[in-house]
Amino acid sequence: MFTGIIQGLGTLFEKRPSGGGMIFGLEAGFDLTDPEEGESIAVNGACLTARNIKGNRFYVDVSPESLARTGLGRLQTGARVNLERALRLCDRLGGHLVSGHVDAQGQLRQRRPAGDFTLFTFSLEPGLTRYVIEKGSITINGVSLTVNSCDRDRFSVSIIPHTLAVTTLGALREGDWVNIEVDMIGKYVEKLLAEQSAGGGNQSRINPAFLAEHGFLK
């Protein structure tokens, strides 16, 4: 589990095929204090398992599923990536609950200045936009962001200068693809409501009327 608060940038120094997937060699641009063999590290928002950790360098295995769901396969050696180590129970939850399981890729459709901020508009497949709500949370390349607006096939986020400076988002250009993870809470709510509507399980007080009353539905 992660929070979407990037700890630092890393560099892809090695990339090679392996068993239908790939092996990446990564170097963190910050100290990996108390590294543990087999710990989870989010790389551009994708949860991967670190091994052969030596200093700030480590290797990860990228499965065929991860290559299909994310843009990791398009990375070239020398590319910079966003890194976040797994959340500890004693850590601050500065962003939101992020699983590191990327749902899909989205494309940057527009980037424009908005005062001291930068407004990004991304495309998103229609099947996922039902989980995106105005002022809700979304993860882009591992970065926890707040949704400004959304419609049937796209959404926008306003990004502060600090985030642009310390993550790879600052280097994004129109047409670039990113890894997107929608808020997992929406998925659980949808599943609970679907099971209730089908008559399965115990009856719950959580229903569309309850959600609308408490501001979760418009």
Side-chain angles (χ1 to χ4, degrees), residues 85-114:
R85 299 178 72 182
L87 174 70
R88 297 173 298 185
L89 291 179
C90 61
D91 287 339
R92 292 185 177 88
L93 185 58
H96 71 285
L97 291 176
V98 176
S99 70
H101 300 153
V102 173
D103 290 297
Q105 296 177 62
Q107 189 174 35
L108 178 57
R109 295 295 191 180
Q110 185 182 59
R111 172 179 176 157
R112 62 180 177 84

mmCIF file of all heavy atoms in Angstrom, residues 85-114:
data_model
loop_
_atom_site.group_PDB
_atom_site.id
_atom_site.type_symbol
_atom_site.label_atom_id
_atom_site.label_comp_id
_atom_site.label_asym_id
_atom_site.label_seq_id
_atom_site.Cartn_x
_atom_site.Cartn_y
_atom_site.Cartn_z
ATOM 1 N N ARG A 85 8.411 4.117 -1.628
ATOM 2 C CA ARG A 85 8.450 2.871 -0.863
ATOM 3 C C ARG A 85 7.108 2.638 -0.186
ATOM 4 O O ARG A 85 6.316 3.567 0.006
ATOM 5 C CB ARG A 85 9.577 2.929 0.168
ATOM 6 C CG ARG A 85 10.945 3.092 -0.465
ATOM 7 C CD ARG A 85 12.042 3.203 0.555
ATOM 8 N NE ARG A 85 12.303 1.918 1.226
ATOM 9 C CZ ARG A 85 13.208 1.761 2.191
ATOM 10 N NH1 ARG A 85 13.920 2.811 2.604
ATOM 11 N NH2 ARG A 85 13.402 0.587 2.740
ATOM 12 N N ALA A 86 6.842 1.396 0.178
ATOM 13 C CA ALA A 86 5.539 1.035 0.740
ATOM 14 C C ALA A 86 5.273 1.765 2.047
ATOM 15 O O ALA A 86 6.186 2.077 2.825
ATOM 16 C CB ALA A 86 5.477 -0.469 0.954
ATOM 17 N N LEU A 87 4.000 2.026 2.288
ATOM 18 C CA LEU A 87 3.551 2.723 3.488
ATOM 19 C C LEU A 87 3.742 1.855 4.730
ATOM 20 O O LEU A 87 3.465 0.657 4.714
ATOM 21 C CB LEU A 87 2.059 3.060 3.318
ATOM 22 C CG LEU A 87 1.316 3.676 4.498
ATOM 23 C CD1 LEU A 87 1.801 5.099 4.744
ATOM 24 C CD2 LEU A 87 -0.187 3.677 4.212
ATOM 25 N N ARG A 88 4.230 2.478 5.809
ATOM 26 C CA ARG A 88 4.271 1.824 7.109
ATOM 27 C C ARG A 88 3.108 2.319 7.950
ATOM 28 O O ARG A 88 2.612 3.435 7.749
ATOM 29 C CB ARG A 88 5.593 2.126 7.820
ATOM 30 C CG ARG A 88 6.826 1.585 7.101
ATOM 31 C CD ARG A 88 8.111 2.053 7.747
ATOM 32 N NE ARG A 88 8.220 3.507 7.683
ATOM 33 C CZ ARG A 88 9.291 4.200 8.082
ATOM 34 N NH1 ARG A 88 10.337 3.563 8.566
ATOM 35 N NH2 ARG A 88 9.317 5.513 7.976
ATOM 36 N N LEU A 89 2.655 1.525 8.900
ATOM 37 C CA LEU A 89 1.485 1.910 9.699
ATOM 38 C C LEU A 89 1.725 3.173 10.508
ATOM 39 O O LEU A 89 0.782 3.864 10.878
ATOM 40 C CB LEU A 89 1.084 0.759 10.628
ATOM 41 C CG LEU A 89 0.501 -0.480 9.934
ATOM 42 C CD1 LEU A 89 0.176 -1.556 10.972
ATOM 43 C CD2 LEU A 89 -0.748 -0.111 9.148
ATOM 44 N N CYS A 90 2.998 3.495 10.776
ATOM 45 C CA CYS A 90 3.302 4.692 11.564
ATOM 46 C C CYS A 90 3.501 5.924 10.687
ATOM 47 O O CYS A 90 3.761 7.017 11.201
ATOM 48 C CB CYS A 90 4.544 4.463 12.417
ATOM 49 S SG CYS A 90 6.036 4.109 11.459
ATOM 50 N N ASP A 91 3.381 5.795 9.355
ATOM 51 C CA ASP A 91 3.617 6.920 8.452
ATOM 52 C C ASP A 91 2.398 7.829 8.354
ATOM 53 O O ASP A 91 1.260 7.418 8.604
ATOM 54 C CB ASP A 91 3.953 6.420 7.039
ATOM 55 C CG ASP A 91 5.352 5.833 6.951
ATOM 56 O OD1 ASP A 91 6.183 6.155 7.812
ATOM 57 O OD2 ASP A 91 5.597 5.052 6.010
ATOM 58 N N ARG A 92 2.664 9.080 7.941
ATOM 59 C CA ARG A 92 1.565 9.997 7.642
ATOM 60 C C ARG A 92 0.946 9.616 6.300
ATOM 61 O O ARG A 92 1.642 9.259 5.361
ATOM 62 C CB ARG A 92 2.078 11.440 7.560
ATOM 63 C CG ARG A 92 2.544 12.031 8.871
ATOM 64 C CD ARG A 92 2.925 13.506 8.687
ATOM 65 N NE ARG A 92 3.318 14.119 9.934
ATOM 66 C CZ ARG A 92 4.565 14.123 10.415
ATOM 67 N NH1 ARG A 92 5.522 13.539 9.717
ATOM 68 N NH2 ARG A 92 4.844 14.710 11.550
ATOM 69 N N LEU A 93 -0.378 9.702 6.233
ATOM 70 C CA LEU A 93 -1.076 9.436 4.979
ATOM 71 C C LEU A 93 -1.295 10.776 4.291
ATOM 72 O O LEU A 93 -2.363 11.377 4.351
ATOM 73 C CB LEU A 93 -2.404 8.727 5.245
ATOM 74 C CG LEU A 93 -3.201 8.279 4.029
ATOM 75 C CD1 LEU A 93 -2.375 7.328 3.163
ATOM 76 C CD2 LEU A 93 -4.495 7.601 4.454
ATOM 77 N N GLY A 94 -0.237 11.258 3.611
ATOM 78 C CA GLY A 94 -0.287 12.596 3.030
ATOM 79 C C GLY A 94 -1.111 12.693 1.767
ATOM 80 O O GLY A 94 -1.595 13.763 1.411
ATOM 81 N N GLY A 95 -1.260 11.585 1.043
ATOM 82 C CA GLY A 95 -2.034 11.603 -0.195
ATOM 83 C C GLY A 95 -3.352 10.898 0.000
ATOM 84 O O GLY A 95 -4.238 11.384 0.697
ATOM 85 N N HIS A 96 -3.496 9.699 -0.606
ATOM 86 C CA HIS A 96 -4.666 8.857 -0.369
ATOM 87 C C HIS A 96 -4.225 7.405 -0.488
ATOM 88 O O HIS A 96 -3.069 7.129 -0.809
ATOM 89 C CB HIS A 96 -5.797 9.190 -1.345
ATOM 90 C CG HIS A 96 -5.557 8.783 -2.769
ATOM 91 N ND1 HIS A 96 -4.698 9.458 -3.619
ATOM 92 C CD2 HIS A 96 -6.051 7.752 -3.518
ATOM 93 C CE1 HIS A 96 -4.698 8.876 -4.810
ATOM 94 N NE2 HIS A 96 -5.503 7.834 -4.773
ATOM 95 N N LEU A 97 -5.109 6.478 -0.200
ATOM 96 C CA LEU A 97 -4.745 5.063 -0.247
ATOM 97 C C LEU A 97 -4.556 4.621 -1.693
ATOM 98 O O LEU A 97 -5.485 4.639 -2.492
ATOM 99 C CB LEU A 97 -5.826 4.219 0.430
ATOM 100 C CG LEU A 97 -5.943 4.389 1.941
ATOM 101 C CD1 LEU A 97 -7.121 3.577 2.462
ATOM 102 C CD2 LEU A 97 -4.656 3.963 2.650
ATOM 103 N N VAL A 98 -3.330 4.212 -2.007
ATOM 104 C CA VAL A 98 -2.960 3.814 -3.369
ATOM 105 C C VAL A 98 -2.464 2.371 -3.314
ATOM 106 O O VAL A 98 -1.593 2.049 -2.515
ATOM 107 C CB VAL A 98 -1.855 4.742 -3.922
ATOM 108 C CG1 VAL A 98 -1.405 4.279 -5.302
ATOM 109 C CG2 VAL A 98 -2.346 6.181 -3.964
ATOM 110 N N SER A 99 -3.014 1.512 -4.153
ATOM 111 C CA SER A 99 -2.648 0.096 -4.119
ATOM 112 C C SER A 99 -1.392 -0.201 -4.930
ATOM 113 O O SER A 99 -0.718 -1.208 -4.703
ATOM 114 C CB SER A 99 -3.799 -0.765 -4.641
ATOM 115 O OG SER A 99 -3.966 -0.583 -6.039
ATOM 116 N N GLY A 100 -1.076 0.643 -5.908
ATOM 117 C CA GLY A 100 0.037 0.353 -6.801
ATOM 118 C C GLY A 100 -0.354 -0.582 -7.925
ATOM 119 O O GLY A 100 0.507 -1.067 -8.656
ATOM 120 N N HIS A 101 -1.654 -0.845 -8.086
ATOM 121 C CA HIS A 101 -2.161 -1.673 -9.176
ATOM 122 C C HIS A 101 -2.775 -0.750 -10.226
ATOM 123 O O HIS A 101 -3.908 -0.293 -10.082
ATOM 124 C CB HIS A 101 -3.178 -2.683 -8.654
ATOM 125 C CG HIS A 101 -2.604 -3.605 -7.621
ATOM 126 N ND1 HIS A 101 -3.362 -4.196 -6.642
ATOM 127 C CD2 HIS A 101 -1.323 -4.022 -7.399
ATOM 128 C CE1 HIS A 101 -2.588 -4.944 -5.877
ATOM 129 N NE2 HIS A 101 -1.344 -4.841 -6.308
ATOM 130 N N VAL A 102 -2.023 -0.476 -11.248
ATOM 131 C CA VAL A 102 -2.441 0.484 -12.278
ATOM 132 C C VAL A 102 -3.657 -0.057 -13.029
ATOM 133 O O VAL A 102 -3.682 -1.224 -13.431
ATOM 134 C CB VAL A 102 -1.274 0.751 -13.249
ATOM 135 C CG1 VAL A 102 -1.727 1.612 -14.422
ATOM 136 C CG2 VAL A 102 -0.111 1.413 -12.502
ATOM 137 N N ASP A 103 -4.662 0.791 -13.211
ATOM 138 C CA ASP A 103 -5.882 0.383 -13.908
ATOM 139 C C ASP A 103 -5.744 0.479 -15.418
ATOM 140 O O ASP A 103 -6.237 -0.380 -16.148
ATOM 141 C CB ASP A 103 -7.066 1.252 -13.452
ATOM 142 C CG ASP A 103 -7.473 0.964 -12.019
ATOM 143 O OD1 ASP A 103 -7.894 -0.170 -11.747
ATOM 144 O OD2 ASP A 103 -7.344 1.858 -11.171
ATOM 145 N N ALA A 104 -5.120 1.539 -15.879
ATOM 146 C CA ALA A 104 -5.034 1.767 -17.324
ATOM 147 C C ALA A 104 -4.044 2.892 -17.582
ATOM 148 O O ALA A 104 -3.513 3.508 -16.652
ATOM 149 C CB ALA A 104 -6.401 2.124 -17.897
ATOM 150 N N GLN A 105 -3.836 3.158 -18.847
ATOM 151 C CA GLN A 105 -3.026 4.304 -19.251
ATOM 152 C C GLN A 105 -3.937 5.403 -19.789
ATOM 153 O O GLN A 105 -4.991 5.126 -20.362
ATOM 154 C CB GLN A 105 -2.016 3.886 -20.324
ATOM 155 C CG GLN A 105 -0.999 2.881 -19.838
ATOM 156 C CD GLN A 105 -0.068 2.429 -20.935
ATOM 157 O OE1 GLN A 105 0.665 3.229 -21.506
ATOM 158 N NE2 GLN A 105 -0.122 1.150 -21.256
ATOM 159 N N GLY A 106 -3.534 6.615 -19.564
ATOM 160 C CA GLY A 106 -4.247 7.768 -20.098
ATOM 161 C C GLY A 106 -3.273 8.655 -20.851
ATOM 162 O O GLY A 106 -2.055 8.581 -20.633
ATOM 163 N N GLN A 107 -3.797 9.481 -21.727
ATOM 164 C CA GLN A 107 -2.944 10.346 -22.545
ATOM 165 C C GLN A 107 -3.150 11.801 -22.151
ATOM 166 O O GLN A 107 -4.281 12.239 -21.928
ATOM 167 C CB GLN A 107 -3.268 10.155 -24.016
ATOM 168 C CG GLN A 107 -2.281 10.846 -24.956
ATOM 169 C CD GLN A 107 -2.554 10.509 -26.411
ATOM 170 O OE1 GLN A 107 -3.710 10.342 -26.812
ATOM 171 N NE2 GLN A 107 -1.508 10.402 -27.209
ATOM 172 N N LEU A 108 -2.038 12.528 -22.050
ATOM 173 C CA LEU A 108 -2.116 13.954 -21.753
ATOM 174 C C LEU A 108 -2.636 14.689 -22.986
ATOM 175 O O LEU A 108 -1.966 14.749 -24.020
ATOM 176 C CB LEU A 108 -0.736 14.493 -21.353
ATOM 177 C CG LEU A 108 -0.655 15.997 -21.051
ATOM 178 C CD1 LEU A 108 -1.619 16.392 -19.944
ATOM 179 C CD2 LEU A 108 0.771 16.398 -20.691
ATOM 180 N N ARG A 109 -3.832 15.226 -22.878
ATOM 181 C CA ARG A 109 -4.467 15.913 -23.996
ATOM 182 C C ARG A 109 -4.139 17.397 -24.039
ATOM 183 O O ARG A 109 -4.016 17.994 -25.107
ATOM 184 C CB ARG A 109 -5.988 15.738 -23.917
ATOM 185 C CG ARG A 109 -6.457 14.300 -24.088
ATOM 186 C CD ARG A 109 -6.135 13.791 -25.472
ATOM 187 N NE ARG A 109 -6.795 12.517 -25.748
ATOM 188 C CZ ARG A 109 -6.680 11.854 -26.874
ATOM 189 N NH1 ARG A 109 -5.897 12.329 -27.830
ATOM 190 N NH2 ARG A 109 -7.309 10.714 -27.053
ATOM 191 N N GLN A 110 -4.002 17.989 -22.869
ATOM 192 C CA GLN A 110 -3.731 19.437 -22.836
ATOM 193 C C GLN A 110 -2.942 19.779 -21.584
ATOM 194 O O GLN A 110 -3.171 19.231 -20.506
ATOM 195 C CB GLN A 110 -5.044 20.224 -22.854
ATOM 196 C CG GLN A 110 -4.844 21.732 -22.934
ATOM 197 C CD GLN A 110 -6.168 22.485 -22.909
ATOM 198 O OE1 GLN A 110 -6.941 22.372 -21.973
ATOM 199 N NE2 GLN A 110 -6.427 23.256 -23.957
ATOM 200 N N ARG A 111 -1.993 20.693 -21.752
ATOM 201 C CA ARG A 111 -1.224 21.229 -20.636
ATOM 202 C C ARG A 111 -1.179 22.737 -20.805
ATOM 203 O O ARG A 111 -0.699 23.227 -21.823
ATOM 204 C CB ARG A 111 0.183 20.646 -20.633
ATOM 205 C CG ARG A 111 1.110 21.311 -19.618
ATOM 206 C CD ARG A 111 2.499 20.696 -19.614
ATOM 207 N NE ARG A 111 3.363 21.433 -18.692
ATOM 208 C CZ ARG A 111 4.451 20.942 -18.117
ATOM 209 N NH1 ARG A 111 4.834 19.705 -18.388
ATOM 210 N NH2 ARG A 111 5.175 21.679 -17.294
ATOM 211 N N ARG A 112 -1.692 23.458 -19.804
ATOM 212 C CA ARG A 112 -1.696 24.912 -19.928
ATOM 213 C C ARG A 112 -1.515 25.551 -18.556
ATOM 214 O O ARG A 112 -1.919 24.995 -17.532
ATOM 215 C CB ARG A 112 -2.982 25.410 -20.576
ATOM 216 C CG ARG A 112 -4.259 25.118 -19.810
ATOM 217 C CD ARG A 112 -5.470 25.665 -20.542
ATOM 218 N NE ARG A 112 -6.719 25.355 -19.881
ATOM 219 C CZ ARG A 112 -7.243 26.067 -18.878
ATOM 220 N NH1 ARG A 112 -6.582 27.124 -18.414
ATOM 221 N NH2 ARG A 112 -8.391 25.716 -18.333
ATOM 222 N N PRO A 113 -0.871 26.729 -18.525
ATOM 223 C CA PRO A 113 -0.688 27.423 -17.254
ATOM 224 C C PRO A 113 -2.012 27.982 -16.748
ATOM 225 O O PRO A 113 -2.884 28.367 -17.527
ATOM 226 C CB PRO A 113 0.291 28.541 -17.606
ATOM 227 C CG PRO A 113 0.105 28.771 -19.070
ATOM 228 C CD PRO A 113 -0.253 27.445 -19.660
ATOM 229 N N ALA A 114 -2.150 27.999 -15.433
ATOM 230 C CA ALA A 114 -3.335 28.575 -14.793
ATOM 231 C C ALA A 114 -2.857 29.314 -13.549
ATOM 232 O O ALA A 114 -2.862 28.776 -12.446
ATOM 233 C CB ALA A 114 -4.346 27.495 -14.451
#
